[in-house]
Amino acid sequence: MSDRQGASLQYVDIAKSYGRVQALRSTTLDIAPGEFFAIIGPSGSGKTTLLGVTAGYIPPSGGRILINGADVVGMPPFRREIGMVFQNYALFPHMSVAENVGFPLRMRKLPKSDIEARVRKILAMVQLDAMAERRPSQLSGGQQQRVALARAAVYDPLLLLMDEPLSALDKNLREAMQDEIKQFQASFGATVLYVTHDQNEAAAMAHRIAIMNHGRIEQIGTPKDLYEHPTNRFVASFLGEANLFDVANIEARGGEVRIQTSDGLSLIAASSATDGKVCACVRPEAIELTSTAVDAANGFAAQVVDATYTAGSLRYRIRLDSGRIITQRMPSARGAELIAPGEAVHISWRAEDTLLVQDVEGPS
Amino acid sequence: MADGGARIGRIVLIGFTALVLLYLVMPTFVILPMSFSNKTYLSFPPPGWSLKWYQSLAERPDYPLAFLNSVKIGVPVALLATTLGTLAALGVVRGRFFGARPLSALVIAPLMLPQIILAIGLYPIMARIGLIGSYPAVVIGHTVICIPLVFITVAASLKSYQPTYELAAMTLGANWWQTFWHVTFPMIRIGVIVGAILSFTFSFDELIISLFLTSPGTRTLPRLLWEDLRQYVTPIVAAATTLVLCISFFLLSLIALIQRRKDAS
């Protein structure tokens, strides 16, 4: 770990509208020093706008941005001392790797010998010392990505912004780079704001995640929090898989909540409902699949529709008697046989695994 | 037969292209031999050969003077038009403001207008502010037409890449000027150079505005050629024209060379 402390980052009622289109609705958010914070959401959700407002090339319509307590709104990008990695790296094509990485230091008018030493050091850190004299176009995608990272970090910014930095890489390289960036951040000690549309990437890397939709933050939490306790339908369906049930009637009796779904199923949940219109969410992993009926709060007779095997887990699609299709997932135990399509099974889950979430899609 | 049809189409196309090229270069091929004529009148083909018209070209004092004037006007025109045209392109392509499109049409307008209209418009203005016949008058006149040339080439360069490079430079600590100098300019350099050469070539060849705005003292080479042509039709005109053609051809080859180097990199 580094002894350097990243910057704190606070947004206070920050907003951006283009004419009548609200790209970013009034948002308040606190990011702790040294935190790896990810923002995920579909395209057009406002995450890129939030990043641009933070870097300083999009002027906000209102609100404040505090970096280490100082308001930076109105400050030009080149005074903010923020490092940023762009989606397509934006490496200057007319400069060599070393010149690209040295660029921020030259702009700061550091002595030549200093620049050389720091460029050499950080290129060694990202294992590109041998490539210093090459042009960006002569590097692979992963190498270009590392140059962009080195260039954004060479002047020791306390805050690093990353805009979908891995989206141009293929899957295997992407996963390797995830680990590399995480390790880099830990040894470098900066606060990271990481924007992606890939929920798995965010979950793998971030301490906390904010999910954005329609220009505002729907929910903030740790990856585990968001997955296990989504507050609304959008979050529940955006993050991982969810079996969602529209609720027709809901009734709290004693310690449990009885739910009548609109397609005629009776479910039992543990916690009482949130206010307003709700729907029920059951995660595929929470569902038990057995050959005979077991004693559980929620249990249904069902039939296997199909089974898929993907790296380490089994995913079944199951049809209830009502015709409703449910997704179930479990780790594949060694030697376990796949259940054939058409076979009769029972599914069940605990009352606490019926999650009640707000049934809103957010204003559009 | 589809094959035969395609072949006939190809032959027609090649023939057509050859004809177009022939018409384009024919005037050049007529002028060139005429300048080596041994007679005192313009005739094609010349009855005999000599270099005497090139010699008298050098001996007459007005031709070198006019050539010098054309350079004295062409160089500042190229510099001014390149600066202003580049700034206009930066503003219209990179700036996000209301009315950018109509503005770019306005910048290009002088290129579309008949030059005679521009000349007639500029004449009384220059007369009133007392510039008529001076170098600044014709430099301003030519610059107005050359700004669109630079604007078009630089705007095309700017549109060929995403503005992310400039955003990146700024987040990395480069101020506006540093961003332009270290990132934008190297990326649009080809467009700027091509625009500058086109501007010089245009100014060097231009007649109508020079007719209106120059005086005998600031007379350009095209204007002298035109005046000479009206008085005595000797092959000296063909000799001078050949020289102008050579210079223009050289500059245009330079542009082709620069663009080929850009494609290669």
Side-chain angles (χ1 to χ4, degrees), chain A residues 55 57 77-78 82 84 86 90-95 103-104 107-109 151-152 155, chain B residues 96 164-176 178-179 182-184 186-187:
Chain A
Y57 57 82
F78 50 84
I82 293 174
M84 180 156 178
F86 287 83
L91 298 177
F92 306 131
H94 54 285
M95 296 182 199
F103 181 82
M107 295 305 109
R108 287 168 175 75
K109 304 204 161 49
R151 186 179 68 172
Y155 50 102
Chain B
R96 279 183 225 130
T164 342
Y165 292 108
E166 278 115 9
L167 296 184
M170 277 193 258
T171 61
L172 293 169
N175 61 32
W176 315 112
Q178 289 174 315
T179 300
H182 293 284
V183 178
T184 311
M187 311 269 281

mmCIF file of all heavy atoms in Angstrom, chain A residues 55 57 77-78 82 84 86 90-95 103-104 107-109 151-152 155, chain B residues 96 164-176 178-179 182-184 186-187:
data_model
loop_
_atom_site.group_PDB
_atom_site.id
_atom_site.type_symbol
_atom_site.label_atom_id
_atom_site.label_comp_id
_atom_site.label_asym_id
_atom_site.label_seq_id
_atom_site.Cartn_x
_atom_site.Cartn_y
_atom_site.Cartn_z
ATOM 1 N N ALA A 55 -13.879 16.456 -14.670
ATOM 2 C CA ALA A 55 -12.601 16.791 -15.321
ATOM 3 C C ALA A 55 -12.544 18.268 -15.667
ATOM 4 O O ALA A 55 -11.468 18.849 -15.736
ATOM 5 C CB ALA A 55 -12.416 15.947 -16.582
ATOM 6 N N TYR A 57 -14.221 19.767 -18.495
ATOM 7 C CA TYR A 57 -14.470 20.190 -19.878
ATOM 8 C C TYR A 57 -15.961 20.284 -20.192
ATOM 9 O O TYR A 57 -16.334 20.638 -21.298
ATOM 10 C CB TYR A 57 -13.727 19.319 -20.887
ATOM 11 C CG TYR A 57 -14.006 17.845 -20.821
ATOM 12 C CD1 TYR A 57 -15.123 17.305 -21.428
ATOM 13 C CD2 TYR A 57 -13.132 16.990 -20.159
ATOM 14 C CE1 TYR A 57 -15.373 15.949 -21.373
ATOM 15 C CE2 TYR A 57 -13.362 15.635 -20.102
ATOM 16 C CZ TYR A 57 -14.488 15.121 -20.717
ATOM 17 O OH TYR A 57 -14.733 13.789 -20.657
ATOM 18 N N PRO A 77 -9.748 22.740 -16.899
ATOM 19 C CA PRO A 77 -9.265 21.367 -16.668
ATOM 20 C C PRO A 77 -7.791 21.305 -16.291
ATOM 21 O O PRO A 77 -7.395 20.501 -15.437
ATOM 22 C CB PRO A 77 -9.493 20.674 -18.011
ATOM 23 C CG PRO A 77 -10.479 21.502 -18.747
ATOM 24 C CD PRO A 77 -10.417 22.886 -18.198
ATOM 25 N N PHE A 78 -6.968 22.185 -16.921
ATOM 26 C CA PHE A 78 -5.519 22.054 -16.718
ATOM 27 C C PHE A 78 -5.048 22.536 -15.354
ATOM 28 O O PHE A 78 -3.878 22.414 -15.032
ATOM 29 C CB PHE A 78 -4.746 22.753 -17.850
ATOM 30 C CG PHE A 78 -5.191 24.167 -18.146
ATOM 31 C CD1 PHE A 78 -4.695 25.218 -17.415
ATOM 32 C CD2 PHE A 78 -6.120 24.405 -19.151
ATOM 33 C CE1 PHE A 78 -5.098 26.512 -17.696
ATOM 34 C CE2 PHE A 78 -6.534 25.697 -19.437
ATOM 35 C CZ PHE A 78 -6.028 26.759 -18.695
ATOM 36 N N ILE A 82 -6.084 16.586 -12.087
ATOM 37 C CA ILE A 82 -6.782 15.310 -12.140
ATOM 38 C C ILE A 82 -6.156 14.501 -13.264
ATOM 39 O O ILE A 82 -5.809 15.054 -14.292
ATOM 40 C CB ILE A 82 -8.279 15.532 -12.450
ATOM 41 C CG1 ILE A 82 -8.965 16.234 -11.288
ATOM 42 C CG2 ILE A 82 -8.967 14.215 -12.773
ATOM 43 C CD1 ILE A 82 -10.405 16.615 -11.583
ATOM 44 N N MET A 84 -6.738 11.607 -16.124
ATOM 45 C CA MET A 84 -7.893 10.988 -16.759
ATOM 46 C C MET A 84 -7.471 10.027 -17.857
ATOM 47 O O MET A 84 -6.604 10.323 -18.673
ATOM 48 C CB MET A 84 -8.813 12.066 -17.327
ATOM 49 C CG MET A 84 -10.036 11.483 -18.008
ATOM 50 S SD MET A 84 -11.411 12.645 -18.043
ATOM 51 C CE MET A 84 -12.615 11.673 -18.943
ATOM 52 N N PHE A 86 -8.975 8.084 -21.061
ATOM 53 C CA PHE A 86 -10.135 8.143 -21.944
ATOM 54 C C PHE A 86 -10.432 6.777 -22.550
ATOM 55 O O PHE A 86 -9.572 5.911 -22.614
ATOM 56 C CB PHE A 86 -9.890 9.163 -23.063
ATOM 57 C CG PHE A 86 -9.958 10.590 -22.582
ATOM 58 C CD1 PHE A 86 -8.860 11.188 -21.992
ATOM 59 C CD2 PHE A 86 -11.124 11.321 -22.707
ATOM 60 C CE1 PHE A 86 -8.915 12.494 -21.538
ATOM 61 C CE2 PHE A 86 -11.191 12.624 -22.264
ATOM 62 C CZ PHE A 86 -10.086 13.214 -21.675
ATOM 63 N N ALA A 90 -6.791 8.159 -26.267
ATOM 64 C CA ALA A 90 -6.383 9.495 -26.718
ATOM 65 C C ALA A 90 -4.876 9.689 -26.589
ATOM 66 O O ALA A 90 -4.407 10.743 -26.184
ATOM 67 C CB ALA A 90 -7.134 10.592 -25.947
ATOM 68 N N LEU A 91 -4.107 8.675 -26.963
ATOM 69 C CA LEU A 91 -2.645 8.836 -26.992
ATOM 70 C C LEU A 91 -2.305 9.679 -28.212
ATOM 71 O O LEU A 91 -2.847 9.444 -29.287
ATOM 72 C CB LEU A 91 -1.958 7.467 -27.090
ATOM 73 C CG LEU A 91 -2.212 6.532 -25.913
ATOM 74 C CD1 LEU A 91 -1.549 5.184 -26.168
ATOM 75 C CD2 LEU A 91 -1.690 7.137 -24.624
ATOM 76 N N PHE A 92 -1.415 10.654 -28.037
ATOM 77 C CA PHE A 92 -1.098 11.548 -29.149
ATOM 78 C C PHE A 92 -0.330 10.774 -30.215
ATOM 79 O O PHE A 92 0.771 10.283 -29.943
ATOM 80 C CB PHE A 92 -0.291 12.739 -28.647
ATOM 81 C CG PHE A 92 -0.969 13.464 -27.523
ATOM 82 C CD1 PHE A 92 -0.293 13.775 -26.356
ATOM 83 C CD2 PHE A 92 -2.320 13.822 -27.614
ATOM 84 C CE1 PHE A 92 -0.921 14.435 -25.307
ATOM 85 C CE2 PHE A 92 -2.963 14.485 -26.583
ATOM 86 C CZ PHE A 92 -2.258 14.786 -25.418
ATOM 87 N N PRO A 93 -0.887 10.664 -31.420
ATOM 88 C CA PRO A 93 -0.281 9.795 -32.434
ATOM 89 C C PRO A 93 1.073 10.302 -32.946
ATOM 90 O O PRO A 93 1.867 9.523 -33.450
ATOM 91 C CB PRO A 93 -1.315 9.779 -33.571
ATOM 92 C CG PRO A 93 -2.173 10.977 -33.358
ATOM 93 C CD PRO A 93 -2.135 11.283 -31.884
ATOM 94 N N HIS A 94 1.324 11.615 -32.776
ATOM 95 C CA HIS A 94 2.566 12.152 -33.319
ATOM 96 C C HIS A 94 3.705 12.138 -32.301
ATOM 97 O O HIS A 94 4.759 12.679 -32.545
ATOM 98 C CB HIS A 94 2.344 13.578 -33.831
ATOM 99 C CG HIS A 94 1.754 14.501 -32.803
ATOM 100 N ND1 HIS A 94 0.427 14.453 -32.438
ATOM 101 C CD2 HIS A 94 2.299 15.461 -32.052
ATOM 102 C CE1 HIS A 94 0.192 15.364 -31.512
ATOM 103 N NE2 HIS A 94 1.319 15.992 -31.257
ATOM 104 N N MET A 95 3.450 11.533 -31.135
ATOM 105 C CA MET A 95 4.503 11.451 -30.119
ATOM 106 C C MET A 95 4.809 9.987 -29.804
ATOM 107 O O MET A 95 3.939 9.132 -29.907
ATOM 108 C CB MET A 95 4.038 12.121 -28.819
ATOM 109 C CG MET A 95 3.770 13.602 -28.932
ATOM 110 S SD MET A 95 3.277 14.250 -27.304
ATOM 111 C CE MET A 95 2.480 15.773 -27.798
ATOM 112 N N PHE A 103 4.470 14.099 -21.466
ATOM 113 C CA PHE A 103 3.710 15.305 -21.832
ATOM 114 C C PHE A 103 3.234 16.131 -20.628
ATOM 115 O O PHE A 103 3.505 17.336 -20.551
ATOM 116 C CB PHE A 103 2.531 14.906 -22.737
ATOM 117 C CG PHE A 103 1.683 16.053 -23.198
ATOM 118 C CD1 PHE A 103 2.060 16.837 -24.279
ATOM 119 C CD2 PHE A 103 0.489 16.360 -22.536
ATOM 120 C CE1 PHE A 103 1.275 17.900 -24.706
ATOM 121 C CE2 PHE A 103 -0.297 17.419 -22.960
ATOM 122 C CZ PHE A 103 0.095 18.199 -24.044
ATOM 123 N N PRO A 104 2.548 15.498 -19.649
ATOM 124 C CA PRO A 104 2.081 16.318 -18.510
ATOM 125 C C PRO A 104 3.225 16.975 -17.743
ATOM 126 O O PRO A 104 3.061 18.072 -17.216
ATOM 127 C CB PRO A 104 1.344 15.316 -17.624
ATOM 128 C CG PRO A 104 1.308 14.038 -18.333
ATOM 129 C CD PRO A 104 2.130 14.106 -19.557
ATOM 130 N N MET A 107 4.409 19.991 -19.754
ATOM 131 C CA MET A 107 3.474 21.101 -19.598
ATOM 132 C C MET A 107 3.686 21.807 -18.262
ATOM 133 O O MET A 107 3.400 22.970 -18.107
ATOM 134 C CB MET A 107 2.020 20.602 -19.687
ATOM 135 C CG MET A 107 1.639 20.053 -21.033
ATOM 136 S SD MET A 107 1.940 21.200 -22.396
ATOM 137 C CE MET A 107 3.317 20.425 -23.218
ATOM 138 N N ARG A 108 4.194 21.059 -17.279
ATOM 139 C CA ARG A 108 4.452 21.642 -15.959
ATOM 140 C C ARG A 108 5.859 22.199 -15.868
ATOM 141 O O ARG A 108 6.306 22.587 -14.788
ATOM 142 C CB ARG A 108 4.203 20.583 -14.880
ATOM 143 C CG ARG A 108 2.733 20.306 -14.685
ATOM 144 C CD ARG A 108 2.489 19.065 -13.837
ATOM 145 N NE ARG A 108 1.065 18.905 -13.565
ATOM 146 C CZ ARG A 108 0.168 18.484 -14.446
ATOM 147 N NH1 ARG A 108 0.560 18.167 -15.662
ATOM 148 N NH2 ARG A 108 -1.109 18.383 -14.133
ATOM 149 N N LYS A 109 6.565 22.167 -17.016
ATOM 150 C CA LYS A 109 7.887 22.764 -17.123
ATOM 151 C C LYS A 109 8.891 22.217 -16.102
ATOM 152 O O LYS A 109 9.661 22.949 -15.512
ATOM 153 C CB LYS A 109 7.794 24.286 -17.017
ATOM 154 C CG LYS A 109 6.852 24.876 -18.049
ATOM 155 C CD LYS A 109 7.191 26.325 -18.349
ATOM 156 C CE LYS A 109 6.609 26.828 -19.641
ATOM 157 N NZ LYS A 109 5.202 26.584 -19.882
ATOM 158 N N ARG A 151 0.474 7.747 -18.369
ATOM 159 C CA ARG A 151 0.454 9.178 -18.685
ATOM 160 C C ARG A 151 -0.454 9.936 -17.715
ATOM 161 O O ARG A 151 -0.146 11.061 -17.312
ATOM 162 C CB ARG A 151 -0.028 9.369 -20.121
ATOM 163 C CG ARG A 151 0.047 10.801 -20.603
ATOM 164 C CD ARG A 151 -0.407 10.939 -22.039
ATOM 165 N NE ARG A 151 -1.836 10.689 -22.181
ATOM 166 C CZ ARG A 151 -2.524 10.890 -23.299
ATOM 167 N NH1 ARG A 151 -1.904 11.301 -24.380
ATOM 168 N NH2 ARG A 151 -3.812 10.644 -23.356
ATOM 169 N N ALA A 152 -1.573 9.308 -17.341
ATOM 170 C CA ALA A 152 -2.501 9.985 -16.435
ATOM 171 C C ALA A 152 -1.978 10.010 -15.002
ATOM 172 O O ALA A 152 -2.439 10.790 -14.177
ATOM 173 C CB ALA A 152 -3.865 9.298 -16.491
ATOM 174 N N TYR A 155 2.199 12.403 -13.115
ATOM 175 C CA TYR A 155 2.381 13.633 -12.336
ATOM 176 C C TYR A 155 1.742 13.525 -10.960
ATOM 177 O O TYR A 155 1.440 14.539 -10.329
ATOM 178 C CB TYR A 155 1.874 14.847 -13.118
ATOM 179 C CG TYR A 155 0.483 14.713 -13.699
ATOM 180 C CD1 TYR A 155 -0.613 15.314 -13.095
ATOM 181 C CD2 TYR A 155 0.278 13.993 -14.860
ATOM 182 C CE1 TYR A 155 -1.888 15.187 -13.641
ATOM 183 C CE2 TYR A 155 -0.988 13.859 -15.411
ATOM 184 C CZ TYR A 155 -2.053 14.465 -14.798
ATOM 185 O OH TYR A 155 -3.317 14.323 -15.327
ATOM 186 N N ARG B 96 -18.816 24.960 -29.747
ATOM 187 C CA ARG B 96 -20.220 24.548 -29.779
ATOM 188 C C ARG B 96 -21.050 25.778 -29.489
ATOM 189 O O ARG B 96 -21.293 26.124 -28.347
ATOM 190 C CB ARG B 96 -20.486 23.474 -28.713
ATOM 191 C CG ARG B 96 -20.071 22.109 -29.187
ATOM 192 C CD ARG B 96 -20.420 21.068 -28.152
ATOM 193 N NE ARG B 96 -19.299 20.158 -27.984
ATOM 194 C CZ ARG B 96 -18.795 19.843 -26.816
ATOM 195 N NH1 ARG B 96 -19.293 20.335 -25.722
ATOM 196 N NH2 ARG B 96 -17.793 19.013 -26.746
ATOM 197 N N THR B 164 -11.214 14.393 -28.470
ATOM 198 C CA THR B 164 -10.713 13.797 -27.223
ATOM 199 C C THR B 164 -9.248 14.103 -26.988
ATOM 200 O O THR B 164 -8.817 14.216 -25.842
ATOM 201 C CB THR B 164 -10.864 12.259 -27.253
ATOM 202 O OG1 THR B 164 -11.787 11.907 -28.258
ATOM 203 C CG2 THR B 164 -11.285 11.741 -25.921
ATOM 204 N N TYR B 165 -8.466 14.226 -28.077
ATOM 205 C CA TYR B 165 -7.038 14.504 -27.903
ATOM 206 C C TYR B 165 -6.828 15.828 -27.179
ATOM 207 O O TYR B 165 -5.980 15.943 -26.305
ATOM 208 C CB TYR B 165 -6.342 14.558 -29.262
ATOM 209 C CG TYR B 165 -6.285 13.231 -29.956
ATOM 210 C CD1 TYR B 165 -7.073 12.971 -31.058
ATOM 211 C CD2 TYR B 165 -5.444 12.232 -29.490
ATOM 212 C CE1 TYR B 165 -7.027 11.735 -31.692
ATOM 213 C CE2 TYR B 165 -5.392 10.998 -30.117
ATOM 214 C CZ TYR B 165 -6.195 10.766 -31.219
ATOM 215 O OH TYR B 165 -6.149 9.550 -31.834
ATOM 216 N N GLU B 166 -7.618 16.803 -27.551
ATOM 217 C CA GLU B 166 -7.484 18.109 -26.919
ATOM 218 C C GLU B 166 -7.970 18.055 -25.468
ATOM 219 O O GLU B 166 -7.342 18.634 -24.574
ATOM 220 C CB GLU B 166 -8.267 19.165 -27.704
ATOM 221 C CG GLU B 166 -7.487 19.690 -28.898
ATOM 222 C CD GLU B 166 -8.122 19.344 -30.233
ATOM 223 O OE1 GLU B 166 -9.265 18.839 -30.225
ATOM 224 O OE2 GLU B 166 -7.495 19.577 -31.270
ATOM 225 N N LEU B 167 -9.070 17.333 -25.243
ATOM 226 C CA LEU B 167 -9.558 17.188 -23.864
ATOM 227 C C LEU B 167 -8.498 16.505 -23.014
ATOM 228 O O LEU B 167 -8.212 16.916 -21.891
ATOM 229 C CB LEU B 167 -10.850 16.359 -23.834
ATOM 230 C CG LEU B 167 -12.064 16.945 -24.541
ATOM 231 C CD1 LEU B 167 -13.280 16.051 -24.326
ATOM 232 C CD2 LEU B 167 -12.360 18.344 -24.012
ATOM 233 N N ALA B 168 -7.891 15.445 -23.594
ATOM 234 C CA ALA B 168 -6.854 14.715 -22.861
ATOM 235 C C ALA B 168 -5.705 15.654 -22.514
ATOM 236 O O ALA B 168 -5.242 15.686 -21.371
ATOM 237 C CB ALA B 168 -6.363 13.532 -23.689
ATOM 238 N N ALA B 169 -5.257 16.431 -23.498
ATOM 239 C CA ALA B 169 -4.140 17.343 -23.253
ATOM 240 C C ALA B 169 -4.472 18.298 -22.107
ATOM 241 O O ALA B 169 -3.635 18.566 -21.239
ATOM 242 C CB ALA B 169 -3.825 18.130 -24.524
ATOM 243 N N MET B 170 -5.711 18.776 -22.091
ATOM 244 C CA MET B 170 -6.080 19.740 -21.051
ATOM 245 C C MET B 170 -6.162 19.101 -19.675
ATOM 246 O O MET B 170 -5.709 19.686 -18.699
ATOM 247 C CB MET B 170 -7.388 20.422 -21.416
ATOM 248 C CG MET B 170 -7.156 21.588 -22.363
ATOM 249 S SD MET B 170 -8.609 22.600 -22.485
ATOM 250 C CE MET B 170 -9.227 22.037 -24.035
ATOM 251 N N THR B 171 -6.707 17.877 -19.607
ATOM 252 C CA THR B 171 -6.730 17.233 -18.285
ATOM 253 C C THR B 171 -5.301 16.926 -17.833
ATOM 254 O O THR B 171 -5.032 16.857 -16.644
ATOM 255 C CB THR B 171 -7.543 15.915 -18.276
ATOM 256 O OG1 THR B 171 -6.936 15.000 -19.178
ATOM 257 C CG2 THR B 171 -8.980 16.143 -18.664
ATOM 258 N N LEU B 172 -4.388 16.769 -18.789
ATOM 259 C CA LEU B 172 -3.004 16.462 -18.430
ATOM 260 C C LEU B 172 -2.214 17.712 -18.055
ATOM 261 O O LEU B 172 -1.030 17.634 -17.768
ATOM 262 C CB LEU B 172 -2.308 15.732 -19.583
ATOM 263 C CG LEU B 172 -2.852 14.334 -19.881
ATOM 264 C CD1 LEU B 172 -2.286 13.803 -21.184
ATOM 265 C CD2 LEU B 172 -2.536 13.372 -18.744
ATOM 266 N N GLY B 173 -2.861 18.865 -18.108
ATOM 267 C CA GLY B 173 -2.202 20.068 -17.594
ATOM 268 C C GLY B 173 -1.788 21.077 -18.650
ATOM 269 O O GLY B 173 -1.089 22.037 -18.331
ATOM 270 N N ALA B 174 -2.202 20.870 -19.917
ATOM 271 C CA ALA B 174 -1.824 21.832 -20.956
ATOM 272 C C ALA B 174 -2.880 22.938 -21.017
ATOM 273 O O ALA B 174 -4.066 22.639 -21.085
ATOM 274 C CB ALA B 174 -1.734 21.119 -22.310
ATOM 275 N N ASN B 175 -2.438 24.189 -20.984
ATOM 276 C CA ASN B 175 -3.409 25.281 -21.104
ATOM 277 C C ASN B 175 -3.822 25.427 -22.583
ATOM 278 O O ASN B 175 -3.371 24.689 -23.439
ATOM 279 C CB ASN B 175 -2.863 26.582 -20.518
ATOM 280 C CG ASN B 175 -1.606 27.058 -21.230
ATOM 281 O OD1 ASN B 175 -1.451 26.839 -22.422
ATOM 282 N ND2 ASN B 175 -0.706 27.688 -20.495
ATOM 283 N N TRP B 176 -4.709 26.396 -22.865
ATOM 284 C CA TRP B 176 -5.266 26.500 -24.225
ATOM 285 C C TRP B 176 -4.145 26.583 -25.260
ATOM 286 O O TRP B 176 -4.175 25.912 -26.290
ATOM 287 C CB TRP B 176 -6.167 27.732 -24.350
ATOM 288 C CG TRP B 176 -7.112 27.918 -23.206
ATOM 289 C CD1 TRP B 176 -7.090 28.912 -22.280
ATOM 290 C CD2 TRP B 176 -8.220 27.080 -22.850
ATOM 291 N NE1 TRP B 176 -8.108 28.746 -21.377
ATOM 292 C CE2 TRP B 176 -8.812 27.636 -21.699
ATOM 293 C CE3 TRP B 176 -8.759 25.914 -23.392
ATOM 294 C CZ2 TRP B 176 -9.915 27.069 -21.067
ATOM 295 C CZ3 TRP B 176 -9.854 25.349 -22.773
ATOM 296 C CH2 TRP B 176 -10.415 25.921 -21.628
ATOM 297 N N GLN B 178 -0.881 25.849 -25.014
ATOM 298 C CA GLN B 178 -0.062 24.628 -25.076
ATOM 299 C C GLN B 178 -0.804 23.516 -25.808
ATOM 300 O O GLN B 178 -0.219 22.760 -26.578
ATOM 301 C CB GLN B 178 0.297 24.154 -23.662
ATOM 302 C CG GLN B 178 1.305 25.047 -22.959
ATOM 303 C CD GLN B 178 1.506 24.621 -21.512
ATOM 304 O OE1 GLN B 178 0.542 24.346 -20.798
ATOM 305 N NE2 GLN B 178 2.753 24.564 -21.080
ATOM 306 N N THR B 179 -2.119 23.410 -25.547
ATOM 307 C CA THR B 179 -2.910 22.383 -26.218
ATOM 308 C C THR B 179 -2.892 22.598 -27.722
ATOM 309 O O THR B 179 -2.690 21.669 -28.498
ATOM 310 C CB THR B 179 -4.366 22.419 -25.713
ATOM 311 O OG1 THR B 179 -4.364 22.191 -24.308
ATOM 312 C CG2 THR B 179 -5.214 21.350 -26.395
ATOM 313 N N HIS B 182 0.954 21.955 -29.010
ATOM 314 C CA HIS B 182 1.532 20.615 -28.908
ATOM 315 C C HIS B 182 0.630 19.519 -29.456
ATOM 316 O O HIS B 182 1.105 18.440 -29.785
ATOM 317 C CB HIS B 182 1.872 20.290 -27.451
ATOM 318 C CG HIS B 182 2.967 21.137 -26.891
ATOM 319 N ND1 HIS B 182 4.288 20.939 -27.194
ATOM 320 C CD2 HIS B 182 2.924 22.203 -26.073
ATOM 321 C CE1 HIS B 182 5.028 21.841 -26.575
ATOM 322 N NE2 HIS B 182 4.210 22.621 -25.890
ATOM 323 N N VAL B 183 -0.664 19.763 -29.494
ATOM 324 C CA VAL B 183 -1.573 18.689 -29.904
ATOM 325 C C VAL B 183 -2.356 19.051 -31.169
ATOM 326 O O VAL B 183 -2.261 18.357 -32.181
ATOM 327 C CB VAL B 183 -2.550 18.322 -28.762
ATOM 328 C CG1 VAL B 183 -3.524 17.248 -29.225
ATOM 329 C CG2 VAL B 183 -1.771 17.861 -27.550
ATOM 330 N N THR B 184 -3.096 20.163 -31.133
ATOM 331 C CA THR B 184 -3.935 20.483 -32.284
ATOM 332 C C THR B 184 -3.092 20.769 -33.529
ATOM 333 O O THR B 184 -3.333 20.188 -34.584
ATOM 334 C CB THR B 184 -4.827 21.705 -31.983
ATOM 335 O OG1 THR B 184 -5.454 21.487 -30.733
ATOM 336 C CG2 THR B 184 -5.888 21.885 -33.050
ATOM 337 N N PRO B 186 0.046 19.986 -34.518
ATOM 338 C CA PRO B 186 0.653 18.841 -35.215
ATOM 339 C C PRO B 186 -0.381 17.979 -35.950
ATOM 340 O O PRO B 186 -0.071 17.396 -36.976
ATOM 341 C CB PRO B 186 1.310 18.047 -34.085
ATOM 342 C CG PRO B 186 1.516 19.029 -32.996
ATOM 343 C CD PRO B 186 0.416 20.040 -33.103
ATOM 344 N N MET B 187 -1.617 17.911 -35.419
ATOM 345 C CA MET B 187 -2.627 17.068 -36.059
ATOM 346 C C MET B 187 -3.207 17.722 -37.312
ATOM 347 O O MET B 187 -3.694 17.024 -38.189
ATOM 348 C CB MET B 187 -3.761 16.765 -35.078
ATOM 349 C CG MET B 187 -3.309 16.288 -33.716
ATOM 350 S SD MET B 187 -3.167 14.513 -33.569
ATOM 351 C CE MET B 187 -4.839 14.069 -33.349
#
